């Protein structure tokens, strides 16, 4: 059980590092800005979970449209 748990935690950590690594690379190399994760790590994590939930419930497009209208 210990080996399976250890391997699961390593896999989870590797997944998080890969996901954030690509996002940060995009910010630095493409958008030429600094990710908000460094200044507001808790809010960034909360936003990630909110977006993840919106995607799983099929409401992401509605949220994007709502924010697009609000910004206009």
């Amino acid at each position: 059980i210990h080996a399976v748990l250890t391997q699961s935690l390593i896999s989870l950590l590797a997944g998080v590092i890969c996901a954030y690594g690509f996002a940060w690379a995009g910010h630095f190399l493409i958008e030429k800005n600094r990710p908000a994760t460094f200044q507001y790590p808790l809010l960034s994590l909360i936003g990630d979970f909110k977006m993840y939930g919106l995607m799983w419930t099929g409401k992401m497009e509605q949220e994007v449209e709502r924010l697009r209208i609000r910004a206009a």
Side-chain angles (χ1 to χ4, degrees), residues 21-45:
F22 282 114
W24 292 341
H27 276 283
F28 288 123
L29 302 174
I30 297 169
E31 296 178 8
K32 309 288 189 215
N33 63 18
R34 187 172 182 218
T37 303
F38 297 131
Q39 191 171 3
Y40 305 105
L42 184 59
L43 287 176
S44 177
L45 183 63

Side-chain angles (χ1 to χ4, degrees), residues 31-70:
E31 296 178 8
K32 309 288 189 215
N33 63 18
R34 187 172 182 218
T37 303
F38 297 131
Q39 191 171 3
Y40 305 105
L42 184 59
L43 287 176
S44 177
L45 183 63
I46 291 168
D48 289 342
F49 280 116
K50 179 180 179 181
M51 188 168 57
Y52 188 67
L54 288 169
M55 287 187 291
W56 272 101
T57 58
K59 297 179 182 177
M60 188 65 187
E61 288 184 38
Q62 292 172 345
E63 182 70 3
V64 169
E65 187 61 30
R66 182 183 73 83
L67 293 173
R68 184 178 292 130
I69 291 170
R70 190 171 129 194

